[in-house]
Amino acid sequence: MRAFSTCLAVALLAISATSQAGVFEDKTDRFTGVRSVAWQTIPDEAEGFAVTTAAYYSKGSPTPNEYFFQIITYANTSQFAGCPYVDWLIDGEPAPYLNAKYSSDSTGSATIERFAMTPDRATLTQLASAKLVEFKVCNVESSIGSDDMAGLRKVLAETK
């Protein structure tokens, strides 16, 4: 999974100059038979946040074996290594059961920071059905944007 995250981050930074919109993909690897259904995106600007969502199926599985959800940000240097945690509000209510794992990579002149989790479908459904999902990384507050919420909902709809 880390290799996927690193490759995704490098690819997303490479296309960031030409495209800021997210991309939805439903594809099956022809060598392994692994299917991935994913909303992949990057922040509109440095120090902004974006949220990606994915579902993975092992070869021949009728249902996803794993869901993946992460907040991504980038800047010239690491911003959150000293406080690698996220606090969540779902429609104004605390969600302490959402635990994200911090990771970062430096590529060229940028540092990409991620807060990832592998929630179950019920948790993603709860996030997708919310009117507002807010989060706080260290003391920086933000929320999941409408495009990323639509991407989350599309991943769920395509993986029923």
Side-chain angles (χ1 to χ4, degrees):
M1 190 58 64
R2 180 159 170 80
F4 168 78
S5 295
T6 301
C7 290
L8 172 64
V10 170
L12 290 174
L13 277 179
I15 65 171
S16 67
T18 59
S19 172
Q20 296 298 330
V23 176
F24 177 81
E25 289 186 328
D26 183 343
K27 63 183 180 181
T28 301
D29 183 289
R30 64 189 188 101
F31 292 96
T32 64
V34 172
R35 177 182 174 205
S36 63
V37 179
W39 170 256
Q40 299 174 353
T41 187
I42 58 171
D44 289 338
E45 60 190 8
E47 299 183 19
F49 294 96
V51 176
T52 65
T53 308
Y56 299 99
Y57 296 73
S58 60
K59 183 177 181 175
S61 178
T63 58
N65 300 87
E66 179 179 61
Y67 288 97
F68 181 74
F69 182 83
Q70 74 176 348
I71 298 170
I72 301 171
T73 187
Y74 68 91
N76 291 333
T77 62
S78 176
Q79 303 175 85
F80 303 112
C83 53
Y85 58 88
V86 180
D87 293 316
W88 298 86
L89 293 175
I90 298 175
D91 289 331
E93 295 296 321
Y97 53 88
L98 294 176
N99 296 311
K101 182 179 177 186
Y102 173 82
S103 65
S104 68
D105 290 299
S106 293
T107 58
S109 63
T111 297
I112 303 158
E113 295 179 283
R114 292 175 299 282
F115 297 86
M117 61 181 142
T118 53
D120 58 20
R121 184 175 181 89
T123 300
L124 282 181
T125 300
Q126 181 184 18
L127 290 170
S129 64
K131 291 181 177 141
L132 179 63
V133 178
E134 300 169 276
F135 56 88
K136 182 172 72 170
V137 179
C138 295
N139 288 318
V140 179
E141 294 184 19
S142 191
S143 62
I144 300 178
S146 60
D147 287 348
D148 291 343
M149 285 296 286
L152 166 59
R153 291 176 181 127
K154 184 156 178 76
V155 168
L156 284 172
E158 296 296 320
T159 60
K160 287 184 179 176

